[in-house]
């Protein structure tokens, strides 16, 4: 059984993400998902924002296995997103109370962050 990780972050069309950075971020996320999948994880990237809410995220938590939630750097690294980050944590605890909650830090490889909890 593989470990299931939901990586949640802002949608790439969110106003806080500079237009010129979006293609690089998209490629980085797709590469990350591929690397994590090759490493044996079920790794899903979920887009959300304070404006669109977390109903879709909650639905995925309710209907798919989830061992851990990694909150992306666009949320973790922006003080203006702190309430949204708290909402993500609250939703995770509400639906999947045993899921590990992790925070993306650009200076640490995602696999290292995940493996702190699961290897």
């Amino acid at each position: 059984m593989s470990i299931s990780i939901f990586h949640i972050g802002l949608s790439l069309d969110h106003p806080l993400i500079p237009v010129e950075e979006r293609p690089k971020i998209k490629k980085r996320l797709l590469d990350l998902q591929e690397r994590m999948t090759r490493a044996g994880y079920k790794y899903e990237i979920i887009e959300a924002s304070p404006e669109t809410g977390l109903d879709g995220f909650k639905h995925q938590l309710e209907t798919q296995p989830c061992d851990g939630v990694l909150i992306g750097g666009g949320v973790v690294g922006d003080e203006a997103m702190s309430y949204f980050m708290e909402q993500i944590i609250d939703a995770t605890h509400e639906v999947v109370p045993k899921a590990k909650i992790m925070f993306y830090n650009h200076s640490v490889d995602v696999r290292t962050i995940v493996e702190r909890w699961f290897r």
Side-chain angles (χ1 to χ4, degrees), residues 38-100:
R38 274 187 281 139
Y41 295 95
K42 182 177 183 281
Y43 198 85
E44 186 164 348
I45 297 172
I46 300 166
E47 294 183 350
S49 73
E51 297 80 15
T52 60
L54 293 170
D55 288 342
F57 175 61
K58 284 183 177 181
H59 179 73
Q60 285 184 277
L61 289 173
E62 292 167 347
T63 59
Q64 298 174 25
C66 176
D67 299 300
V69 171
L70 177 76
I71 303 174
V75 175
V76 172
D78 187 339
E79 190 175 312
M81 291 281 119
S82 62
Y83 180 60
F84 184 55
M85 183 172 65
E86 292 168 1
Q87 290 175 314
I88 294 169
I89 293 167
D90 187 59
T92 302
H93 276 211
E94 178 184 316
V95 180
V96 190
K98 293 187 178 189
K100 303 298 182 196

Side-chain angles (χ1 to χ4, degrees), residues 3-117:
I3 293 167
S4 179
I5 304 295
F6 289 171
H7 179 149
I8 185 168
L10 295 174
S11 59
L12 291 178
D13 63 352
H14 193 275
L16 289 177
I17 299 177
V19 173
E20 64 277 4
E21 293 294 316
R22 293 173 185 179
K24 290 183 236 174
I25 294 169
K26 182 176 182 173
K27 180 173 180 359
R28 190 169 54 230
L29 288 171
L30 291 173
D31 290 347
L32 170 61
Q33 186 173 33
E34 182 181 325
R35 282 195 331 266
M36 293 300 286
T37 300
R38 274 187 281 139
Y41 295 95
K42 182 177 183 281
Y43 198 85
E44 186 164 348
I45 297 172
I46 300 166
E47 294 183 350
S49 73
E51 297 80 15
T52 60
L54 293 170
D55 288 342
F57 175 61
K58 284 183 177 181
H59 179 73
Q60 285 184 277
L61 289 173
E62 292 167 347
T63 59
Q64 298 174 25
C66 176
D67 299 300
V69 171
L70 177 76
I71 303 174
V75 175
V76 172
D78 187 339
E79 190 175 312
M81 291 281 119
S82 62
Y83 180 60
F84 184 55
M85 183 172 65
E86 292 168 1
Q87 290 175 314
I88 294 169
I89 293 167
D90 187 59
T92 302
H93 276 211
E94 178 184 316
V95 180
V96 190
K98 293 187 178 189
K100 303 298 182 196
I101 297 175
M102 299 158 282
F103 305 100
Y104 183 58
N105 173 339
H106 292 282
S107 66
V108 180
D109 180 65
V110 168
R111 188 168 170 186
T112 301
I113 294 168
V114 171
E115 289 183 352
R116 289 176 187 161
W117 293 101

